[in-house]
Amino acid sequence: MRIAMLSAQASPLSESAGRAAHVAELCAALSASMHDVVVYTRREDATSRETVSSPEGYQVVHVPVGPERALGDDELAAHLGDFAEFVAGRWRRRPPDVVHAHHWTSGLVSVIGAHRLRIPVVHSFHGLGGAGAGLRATAEGLIARRAARIVATSSAEAAELWQSGVRRAHVSVVPSGVDPGFFTPEGPVEVHDGRMRVLLTGELDPGSSAAIGAALSTVDNVELVDTSAVRRGDRPAVLRSADVAVCAPLAERYGMAALEAMACGVPVVATAVGALSDVVLPGVTGVLVAPRDVRRLARSVKALLSDETRREQFGMAARDRVLGRYSRRRLAGEALAVYEHATRAATGGEAARWAAGNAARPG
C-alpha cells in the first residue's frame, strides 16, 4: 500500500520518546513489510532537507509552514490550513491509498487535505482535549466524524474513546511495537562494577525514585541507574546489564520503555496504568502495582532482586511476550488490517452514493 503518515509535531527522525517513537516504530514496521510509507512532519529546523530517506526505509517530508522552531498546538493552529494545502498538492499528484494521522493537529490537516480527493483517513488521537479545549475539542469532534477508522494504542485508550462518544465498532487497538532484532538479550553489555542493577526507565512518578532508593539502601551490592538520558542506540547494552527494570509513570500511552526492557529479557516492575496494563502480564513477565503505591513498588523490586529464579522466568516470558504480541511483523499486520478496512469502507461508501444518485435519475 501507499501510506501517508501525518505527524505534524512529532518527527520520527527525532530522539524523542512517546508519540515520535511510536510513529517511528510504526513506519519502520510497515516499511519492513514492503509498504511505501511517506511521513509528513513540520519543518522545525532551517537546516532540514525537504525530503529525507530514513535508515528504516520510509521517507520523511519536512513541510515548510510556519516559523522554523517547535510550536505548541495553539501556535500551530494558525498554520494548519497551509499544511493541508501542501499535502493536498502532493496527494493530487500521487494519491496515497490511506492517510494515518497522529494527534488532533495532524488529524485536522488530514481530513481537510484528503476530503476532496476522497482518500480514507485513519486517526490516532493520542489523548483527548476534553470539552473545555476550545478549537481542539471542535477539531476532535470533526475528526471523529470524518475519519474512516480510529486507532487506539491500548485498551485503556480505547475505553477513553468509547466513553467520549466514539462508536465502539469504529475503534481498533494497534499497540506500540519494538524491534526485537535490535532490543535482544544477546549482544554487548554495558560495563559496570558488578553490582546488581535496577534501571529506572521511561517517565516516573516523582515519588517512585526516592522510595525505591530508600528501599534499596538496605540491600547490599545494588545500584540504581536512571536511563532517561541514554540514547536509543545505547539502550540495548544498558538494558542487558540490568537485573530489574522499573517503569512507574502515573500515565502511559505507549509502554515502549517496558517493551524495550522485555525484548532484552529483563523482568519489569510497572504501574498498572494505560498501555502498561496491556504490556506487562503480572506474575508472568513482571509485576504490576497500583499507581502511587510507592511502598509496594519498592517492595516488589526488592523481592525480585532476592529471587534469581523468578527473575529468569520473568525475563524469558517477557521476551516471548514481545515476540508474540509486539514485534514489528505483528504491528505491521494489525495496522494494515485497519488500513484495508478503511479503504474498503471508503470504496463501499462511494459505490453506495453512486448507486443512490443513479437510482434517483429519471429514466
Side-chain angles (χ1 to χ4, degrees):
M1 295 186 78
R2 291 196 304 274
I3 302 160
M5 201 75 65
L6 259 289
S7 185
Q9 294 160 283
S11 170
L13 299 179
S14 73
E15 273 283 324
S16 302
R19 190 164 76 242
H22 171 80
V23 172
E25 194 60 37
L26 176 59
C27 293
L30 290 163
S31 294
S33 294
M34 307 306 293
H35 299 287
D36 181 2
V37 181
V38 179
V39 187
Y40 295 86
T41 190
R42 201 183 66 82
R43 185 164 67 187
E44 297 181 353
D45 183 345
T47 64
S48 299
R49 300 194 308 274
E50 181 173 297
T51 302
V52 178
S53 295
S54 81
E56 302 284 4
Y58 57 88
Q59 285 195 321
V60 177
V61 176
H62 293 107
V63 180
V65 297
E68 291 165 335
R69 58 179 174 82
L71 299 179
D73 288 2
D74 291 341
E75 287 184 288
L76 179 59
H79 305 285
L80 295 181
D82 292 337
F83 202 127
E85 185 176 344
F86 179 94
V87 295
R90 287 293 186 97
W91 296 342
R92 275 192 292 271
R93 294 193 297 271
R94 189 170 185 266
D97 297 306
V98 67
V99 175
H100 187 169
H102 298 266
H103 193 53
W104 73 269
T105 50
S106 302
L108 192 55
V109 167
S110 296
V111 297
I112 294 171
H115 179 61
R116 288 186 178 178
L117 303 175
R118 297 175 178 175
I119 302 167
V121 173
V122 171
H123 185 69
S124 294
F125 281 104
H126 302 289
L128 296 171
L135 173 61
R136 177 174 178 175
T138 302
E140 286 175 344
L142 174 66
I143 294 162
R145 292 190 299 273
R146 289 276 187 89
R149 297 290 294 177
I150 304 297
V151 172
T153 56
S154 67
S155 54
E157 186 184 6
E160 178 187 8
L161 291 167
W162 300 334
Q163 290 163 9
S164 75
V166 179
R167 289 187 295 115
R168 184 178 292 259
H170 205 47
V171 179
S172 299
V173 175
V174 178
S176 292
V178 67
D179 181 3
F182 182 68
F183 290 96
T184 174
E186 295 78 30
V189 178
E190 185 182 65
V191 177
H192 60 104
D193 60 11
R195 287 181 291 172
M196 298 186 77
R197 269 192 159 189
V198 175
L199 298 189
L200 303 178
T201 63
E203 293 185 9
L204 289 175
D205 170 4
S208 299
S209 179
I212 294 168
L216 297 184
S217 66
T218 63
V219 181
D220 293 332
N221 215 30
V222 176
E223 66 172 333
L224 192 62
V225 179
D226 185 352
T227 65
S228 58
V230 178
R231 294 177 63 254
R232 182 180 185 275
D234 299 327
R235 286 204 295 270
V238 175
L239 287 166
R240 292 183 197 115
S241 74
D243 296 282
V244 177
V246 177
C247 306
L250 294 178
E252 178 55 53
R253 295 205 172 273
Y254 309 104
M256 296 191 74
L259 287 170
E260 291 172 357
M262 290 166 61
C264 289
V266 181
V268 172
V269 177
T271 43
V273 295
L276 291 172
S277 295
D278 292 343
V279 169
V280 179
L281 297 181
V284 178
T285 67
V287 180
L288 282 178
V289 302
R292 293 196 172 91
D293 191 348
V294 292
R295 290 185 179 179
R296 186 173 172 220
L297 182 74
R299 287 198 304 269
S300 298
V301 172
K302 194 172 176 181
L304 262 183
L305 289 174
S306 66
D307 192 336
E308 182 177 0
T309 299
R310 195 165 176 238
R311 290 200 310 274
E312 289 181 355
Q313 290 172 341
F314 282 179
M316 288 187 291
R319 173 72 179 175
D320 288 344
R321 171 81 168 149
V322 168
L323 293 175
R325 180 68 187 92
Y326 297 99
S327 68
R328 282 183 172 178
R329 183 186 295 273
R330 177 76 179 263
L331 175 63
E334 294 189 4
L336 187 62
V338 175
Y339 300 159
E340 289 176 340
H341 189 285
T343 56
R344 285 197 303 271
T347 303
E350 289 300 318
R353 284 190 287 275
W354 181 88
N358 278 287
R361 292 175 185 168

